[in-house]
């Protein structure tokens, strides 16, 4: 058998092919599911047993996936050759390992006596955990049983003491691999909530600390194993990271279908749904959250055992009231005895959640299960006590996320907000987002609580933050689609009609301030007037400003910057002035230092680049190209002419994080604006070298977006030197650009160019549009 495997492995090199070979030759079946995994284990057992000679004092043990009988299609073999000091062990081991290697299988192996194995387990907690999965494949059963029983007994006696160190190692792994529930391309094994964490739960359960492997965890574990099986089968080799290009194939193998929005129920039953990687991501996210939550519970149970339970003089556990019907016991929140004995009111689950969020104490599992089973549904509209508890919960700050996640794991949130089922674990494919949609909404409410004292109605801010993206996942603009959904929630909660309308306004306008601040000329009175008319009053303006900052903080670090924050703040100040006084603020005067002294004038201060030169066309393009040459991205640019001088002021940021040397930058700017041909040739050659890819670029025209200009908006892929190329093209086509606003959204940009003059005719628009698209 070994020679046959070796021959075929040489004919089919590579891990995937070799694993496929052993599946065919040894009879290890493929397939997905618990039965397929057990069948693979049986096939491996039979083959490995045939390799072990019949000798006393020798036992071959499987650990890892084979030990658990959970073999993936292209998994590793983890084996321990156990011996009782018999001679010739090295030669025996070689006769075992070499056929496995010759078959092209990955092998993790060790050769030890019982004493040696136990000694290593005492020093290395990972080895101790591995031995909990040990299973006899072939050989001396008494020898194997001696190790398996002793290792399990040692773990039960020392687990509580060893878990803190194991927890530190686990936290480091989480830090390295992230949270599986929120990753678009997560590692099914190593990320938080993955298969490695199920191993920890199994170890904690084996120690008798808690029933960590409850039915929900077992079901989540089986689904994660099925996903890994399908991923192996889809890729044809051992891989644990679920990358984007494999999602749809894995979903098809698992039979996961995402319902088509708007399709009738009959069409869904007839197969109108399609295989969808998003359905897979949602299932993986839900399972990972189940595992993570169970592991948090298990670690807390271990902490309580290690520290001991606090008991009063009567010998009963100490209980401390923290809110109406809620007490603390052993570091967790439980229901007061009077609450359990009486008929519960519908707001009880919300009040427990609010107490957990404000005290930052976890809710006991038994309490969550009791609330899920016995707490009656909330009426519509909600009673005032329920609304107050929701506001307290949303405004609790850091404790909100844990309390909400716990309630969601037990189905309580669906009782509060039936809409949550559609939002739960919905992936957001924009790379700036670090969370699924539901977690993003809760995180936004948490971030909004930091700004609650800046607004006149913090309760509306918090609810608006929770609902601002409720329209995502449905066809159309989510800001518009979400308005009736959010208003329906606000009505059911019991808000009066006027406040329901305010919630709808927050949802509809939650992107207004950042979009205008980054894409429009804030010095133009038309810009300020349009925002003031949309917002209507300063109270709404303040709530929108707070929501913008909370939304960005909950999205991720790439969604916000100091410069974007200053732009939004500047817009808010100008709009507030217009709302308070009815007078539009005057545009800022040109920098007086640019109007004096010999030409050219070049100022570099922080993120600002200002240039003055003799009045001529194309100065903006020249400056933009020179900045691209020095790897600076232009965020905004303004061009004007005063007293025969052409002025260009730009806000910039380093493209790759490190600012350029100001000395050569200043020198190149001076030479370029003075018309030095050598600089122009350099910047042309380099700026055109990098181009964006992706979908086709698009030009959109806006007629009434400016006082003295028409707005041309370019939507395209980001690329170095894009602003230079486009401004050059516009200049050569005869257009005069007085301002540009650059908005980068991941790999794409939305660049707005203010073209001086009236609304161009069809032929002129077509000519300018063609010039811009050709430059991209």
């Amino acid at each position: 058998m070994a020679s046959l495997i070796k021959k075929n492995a040489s004919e089919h090199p590579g891990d995937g092919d070799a694993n496929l070979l052993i599946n065919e030759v040894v009879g290890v079946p493929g397939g997905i599911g618990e039965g397929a995994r057990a069948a693979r284990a049986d096939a491996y057992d039979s083959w490995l047993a045939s390799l072990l000679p019949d000798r006393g004092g020798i036992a071959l043990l499987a650990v890892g996936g084979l030990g658990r009988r959970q073999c993936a299609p292209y998994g590793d073999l983890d084996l321990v050759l156990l011996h009782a000091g018999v001679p010739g062990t090295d030669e025996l081991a070689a006769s075992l390992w070499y056929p496995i290697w010759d078959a092209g299988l990955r092998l993790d192996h060790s050769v030890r006596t019982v004493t040696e194995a136990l000694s290593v387990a005492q020093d290395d907690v990972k080895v101790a955990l591995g031995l909990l999965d040990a299973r006899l494949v072939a050989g001396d059963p008494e020898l194997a049983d001696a190790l398996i029983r002793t290792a399990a007994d040692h773990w039960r006696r020392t687990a509580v003491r060893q878990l803190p160190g194991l927890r530190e190692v686990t936290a480091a792994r989480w830090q390295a691999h992230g949270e599986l529930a929120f990753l678009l391309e997560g590692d099914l094994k190593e990320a938080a909530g993955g298969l490695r964490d199920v191993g920890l739960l199994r170890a904690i359960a084996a120690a008798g600390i808690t029933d960590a492997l409850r039915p929900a965890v077992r079901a989540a574990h089986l689904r994660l194993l099925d996903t890994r099986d399908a991923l192996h089968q889809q890729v044809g080799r051992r891989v644990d990271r679920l990358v984007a290009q494999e999602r749809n194939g894995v979903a098809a193998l698992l039979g996961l279908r995402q319902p088509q929005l708007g399709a009738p129920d009959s069409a869904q039953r007839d197969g109108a749904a399609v295989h969808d990687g998003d359905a897979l991501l949602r299932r993986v996210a839900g399972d990972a959250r189940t595992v993570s939550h169970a592991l948090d519970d298990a670690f807390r149970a271990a902490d309580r055992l290690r520290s001991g339970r606090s008991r009063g003089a009567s010998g009963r556990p100490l209980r401390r009231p923290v809110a109406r019907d809620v007490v603390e016991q052993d570091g967790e929140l439980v229901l007061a005895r009077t609450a359990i004995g009486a008929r519960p009111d519908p707001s009880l689950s919300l009040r427990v959640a609010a107490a957990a969020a404000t005290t930052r104490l976890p809710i006991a599992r038994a309490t969550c299960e009791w609330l899920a089973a016995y707490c009656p549904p909330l009426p519509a509209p909600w009673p005032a006590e329920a609304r107050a508890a929701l506001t307290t919960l949303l405004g609790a700050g850091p404790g909100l996320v844990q309390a909400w996640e716990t309630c969601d794991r037990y189905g309580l949130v669906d009782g509060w907000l039936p809409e949550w089922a559609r939002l739960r674990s919905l992936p957001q494919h924009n790379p700036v987002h670090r969370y699924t949609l539901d977690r993003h909404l809760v995180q936004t409410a948490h971030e909004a609580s930091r700004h609650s004292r800046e607004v006149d109605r913090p309760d509306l801010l918090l609810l608006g933050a929770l609902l601002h993206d409720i329209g995502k996942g449905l066809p159309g603009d989510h800001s518009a689609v979400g308005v009736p959904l959010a208003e329906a929630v606000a009505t059911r909660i019991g808000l009066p009609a006027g406040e329901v309308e305010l919630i709808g306004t927050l949802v509809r306008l939650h992107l207004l301030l950042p979009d205008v601040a980054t894409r429009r000329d804030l010095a133009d009175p038309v810009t300020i007037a349009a925002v003031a008319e949309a917002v209507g009053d300063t109270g709404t303006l303040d709530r929108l400003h707070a929501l913008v900052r909370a939304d960005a903080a909950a999205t991720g670090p790439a969604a916000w910057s100091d410069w974007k924050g200053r732009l939004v703040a500047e817009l808010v100040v100008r709009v507030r002035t217009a709302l308070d006084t009815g007078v539009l603020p005057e545009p800022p005067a040109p920098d007086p230092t640019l109007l004096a002294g010999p030409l050219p004038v070049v100022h570099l201060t922080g993120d600002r680049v200002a240039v003055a030169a003799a009045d001529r066309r194309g100065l903006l393009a020249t400056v933009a190209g020179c900045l691209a040459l020095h790897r600076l991205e232009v965020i905004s640019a303004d061009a004007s002419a005063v007293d025969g001088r052409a002025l260009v002021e730009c806000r910039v940021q380093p493209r790759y994080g490190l600012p350029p040397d100001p000395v050569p930058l200043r020198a190149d700017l001076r030479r370029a604006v003075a018309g030095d041909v050598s600089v122009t040739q350099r910047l042309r050659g380099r700026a055109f070298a990098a181009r964006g890819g992706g979908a086709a670029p698009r030009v959109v025209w806006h007629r009434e977006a400016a006082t003295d200009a028409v707005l041309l908006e370019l939507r395209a892929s980001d690329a170095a030197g894009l602003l230079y190329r486009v401004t050059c093209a516009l200049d050569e086509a005869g257009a005069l650009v007085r301002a540009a606003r650059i908005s980068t959204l991941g790999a794409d940009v939305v660049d707005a160019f203010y073209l001086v003059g009236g609304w161009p005719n069809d032929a002129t628009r077509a000519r300018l549009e063609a010039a811009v698209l050709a430059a991209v």
Side-chain angles (χ1 to χ4, degrees):
M1 179 69 72
S3 62
L4 178 59
I5 294 170
K6 183 174 181 179
K7 174 184 176 184
N8 281 278
S10 65
E11 294 174 354
H12 299 272
D15 280 348
D17 291 335
N19 269 315
L20 182 60
L21 227 289
I22 198 165
N23 290 350
E24 295 174 348
V25 175
V26 183
V28 178
I32 300 166
E34 192 169 13
R37 290 187 287 273
R40 282 191 286 272
D42 289 340
Y44 277 124
D45 283 358
S46 177
W47 176 58
L48 292 171
S50 71
L51 301 178
L52 186 72
D54 186 12
R55 292 178 56 183
I58 294 291
L60 182 63
L61 275 63
V63 294
L66 181 57
R68 297 187 297 271
R69 295 177 56 81
Q70 294 169 350
C71 299
Y74 295 101
D76 299 347
L77 291 182
D78 299 306
L79 301 173
V80 178
L81 182 60
L82 198 64
H83 66 95
V86 298
T89 304
D90 291 341
E91 292 78 7
L92 176 59
S95 70
L96 280 172
W97 308 151
Y98 276 98
I100 297 172
W101 287 324
D102 287 346
L105 289 169
R106 294 172 181 258
L107 172 65
D108 187 359
H109 62 89
S110 61
V111 181
R112 294 189 176 114
T113 64
V114 171
T115 302
E116 290 169 343
L118 293 174
S119 176
V120 174
Q122 289 179 351
D123 297 333
D124 190 335
V125 68
K126 292 182 179 179
V127 174
L129 294 184
L131 289 179
L132 296 178
D133 297 325
R135 180 177 62 83
L136 177 66
V137 173
D140 188 337
E142 294 183 1
L143 184 65
D145 187 58
L147 175 61
I148 293 171
R149 282 190 299 101
T150 307
D153 181 65
H154 177 265
W155 172 251
R156 283 191 293 271
R157 287 185 287 104
T158 64
V160 173
R161 186 171 67 251
Q162 294 193 69
L163 280 178
L166 183 59
R167 195 171 189 172
E168 291 182 7
V169 174
T170 301
R173 171 169 55 82
W174 292 344
Q175 184 68 28
H177 294 279
E179 296 180 75
L180 181 58
F182 308 122
L183 293 170
L184 291 175
E185 295 189 339
D187 189 307
L188 296 171
K189 185 175 183 180
E190 301 294 345
L195 294 170
R196 184 78 73 186
D197 284 354
V198 179
L200 294 179
L201 287 171
R202 189 167 50 251
I204 292 172
I209 295 173
T210 182
D211 56 336
L213 293 177
R214 49 188 182 271
V217 177
R218 292 180 185 274
H221 181 211
L222 290 177
R223 286 191 293 267
L224 288 173
L225 288 172
D226 288 349
T227 302
R228 186 184 62 178
D229 288 354
L231 179 59
H232 281 205
Q233 192 161 311
Q234 170 72 14
V235 178
R237 59 185 174 84
R238 179 184 182 274
V239 60
D240 294 322
R241 185 172 296 280
L242 182 60
V243 297
Q245 61 264 32
E246 307 298 348
R247 278 190 217 124
N248 286 345
V250 172
L253 289 172
L254 293 172
L256 295 179
R257 295 175 176 269
Q258 186 82 335
Q260 292 177 337
L261 294 172
D265 291 342
S266 59
Q268 304 294 355
R269 289 193 297 269
D270 295 339
V274 295
H275 294 299
D276 194 334
D278 278 6
L280 174 62
L281 283 178
R282 294 187 76 164
R283 192 177 88 166
V284 168
D287 292 337
R289 290 164 113 167
T290 297
V291 171
S292 292
H293 185 74
L295 190 55
D296 287 343
D297 274 352
F299 277 137
R300 285 200 305 273
D303 290 342
R304 289 195 298 273
L305 280 178
R306 189 170 56 256
S307 60
R309 295 173 179 254
S310 300
R311 297 184 178 273
S314 64
R316 294 180 177 178
L318 290 177
R319 295 162 65 92
R320 177 178 66 90
V322 296
R324 177 188 160 201
D325 296 328
V326 185
V327 298
E328 176 192 355
Q329 177 179 306
D330 291 330
E332 295 181 327
L333 295 187
V334 300
L335 291 174
R337 296 185 181 93
T338 54
I340 297 176
R343 176 184 174 88
D345 70 84
S347 66
L348 179 59
S349 62
L350 273 167
R351 290 191 287 107
V352 173
T358 53
T359 61
R360 301 180 67 175
L361 291 172
I363 308 172
R365 192 180 99 201
T367 298
C368 290
E369 292 171 343
W370 190 94
L371 290 171
Y374 299 111
C375 189
L378 286 159
W382 288 11
E385 190 173 30
R387 287 196 303 277
L390 178 63
T391 300
T392 301
L393 171 62
L394 297 179
L400 165 63
V401 174
Q402 180 186 8
W404 189 282
E405 187 77 9
T406 298
C407 293
D408 195 27
R409 289 300 89 197
Y410 290 91
L412 301 179
V413 174
D414 287 356
W416 310 334
L417 302 172
E419 299 83 356
W420 206 254
R422 182 181 63 81
L423 308 174
R424 183 179 294 110
S425 299
L426 189 66
Q428 302 195 83
H429 293 285
N430 191 314
V432 302
H433 278 278
R434 59 181 171 181
Y435 294 125
T436 54
L437 177 57
D438 58 331
R439 173 63 182 275
H440 170 71
L441 295 175
V442 176
Q443 193 73 28
T444 303
H446 158 52
E447 299 292 345
S449 68
R450 304 177 189 272
H451 306 288
S452 60
R453 297 184 181 180
E454 302 172 15
V455 299
D456 59 348
R457 289 294 303 273
D459 56 331
L460 297 182
L461 169 63
L462 295 170
L463 184 58
L466 182 69
L467 301 176
H468 74 283
D469 277 344
I470 193 173
K472 282 189 174 179
L474 299 174
D477 178 1
H478 76 278
S479 298
V481 172
V483 171
L485 301 176
E487 289 179 343
V489 172
T491 300
R492 188 168 65 250
I493 286 174
L495 297 184
E499 295 178 5
V500 169
E501 185 177 351
L502 291 175
I503 291 296
T505 299
L506 285 179
V507 174
R508 185 177 65 257
L509 300 181
H510 74 273
L511 296 177
L512 175 67
L513 296 183
D515 283 353
V516 171
T518 57
R519 302 181 188 179
R520 297 295 182 263
D521 183 3
L522 304 189
D524 194 316
V526 170
T527 300
I528 305 306
V531 175
E533 182 180 2
V535 171
D537 60 81
T538 56
T540 301
L541 179 66
D542 288 338
R543 288 189 289 274
L544 284 172
H545 189 200
L547 178 54
V548 164
R549 289 172 285 169
D551 189 12
T555 297
W560 197 249
S561 65
D562 291 342
W563 168 240
K564 189 173 184 179
R566 289 197 299 270
L567 282 177
V568 172
E570 180 183 347
L571 174 61
V572 169
V573 169
R574 290 175 175 272
V575 173
R576 182 186 302 282
T577 300
L579 290 172
D580 283 342
T581 66
V583 178
L584 295 174
E586 293 291 330
D591 184 349
T593 61
L594 298 178
L595 303 178
L599 297 176
V601 179
V602 176
H603 289 165
L604 305 177
T605 54
D607 63 356
R608 177 175 174 267
V609 175
V611 174
D615 191 6
R616 65 177 178 85
R617 296 182 67 88
L619 182 63
L620 175 57
T622 300
V623 172
C626 196
L627 295 174
L629 182 65
H630 288 265
R631 298 180 178 180
L632 285 172
E633 291 182 330
V634 178
I635 301 171
S636 71
D638 292 285
S640 59
V642 180
D643 298 331
R645 291 184 175 220
L647 311 180
V648 173
E649 296 188 61
C650 300
R651 295 288 179 174
V652 299
Q653 63 184 11
R655 190 171 186 86
Y656 301 111
L658 295 176
D661 187 337
V663 175
L665 172 59
R666 183 179 287 106
D668 278 348
L669 281 169
R670 286 182 174 276
R671 293 166 56 202
V673 301
D676 190 317
V677 178
S678 64
V679 178
T680 305
Q681 290 174 340
R682 284 170 54 212
L683 63 90
R684 275 184 178 272
R686 296 198 185 183
F688 278 101
R691 301 270 184 136
R698 182 186 175 201
V699 168
V700 179
W701 294 87
H702 299 274
R703 182 191 291 268
E704 298 178 350
T707 304
D708 60 346
V710 56
L711 194 65
L712 182 154
E713 191 174 80
L714 170 64
R715 303 172 185 178
S717 296
D718 189 20
L722 180 62
L723 177 61
Y724 168 64
R725 297 197 303 274
V726 174
T727 49
C728 278
L730 289 170
D731 183 60
E732 292 170 0
L736 178 60
V737 180
R738 75 157 173 81
R741 295 293 180 270
I742 313 303
S743 178
T744 303
L745 308 170
D748 292 338
V749 294
V750 179
D751 293 350
F753 298 91
Y754 285 78
L755 310 183
V756 176
W759 183 253
N761 57 39
D762 292 346
T764 302
R765 289 202 308 275
R767 180 169 53 82
L768 293 176
E769 184 172 331
V772 169
L773 294 177
V776 175

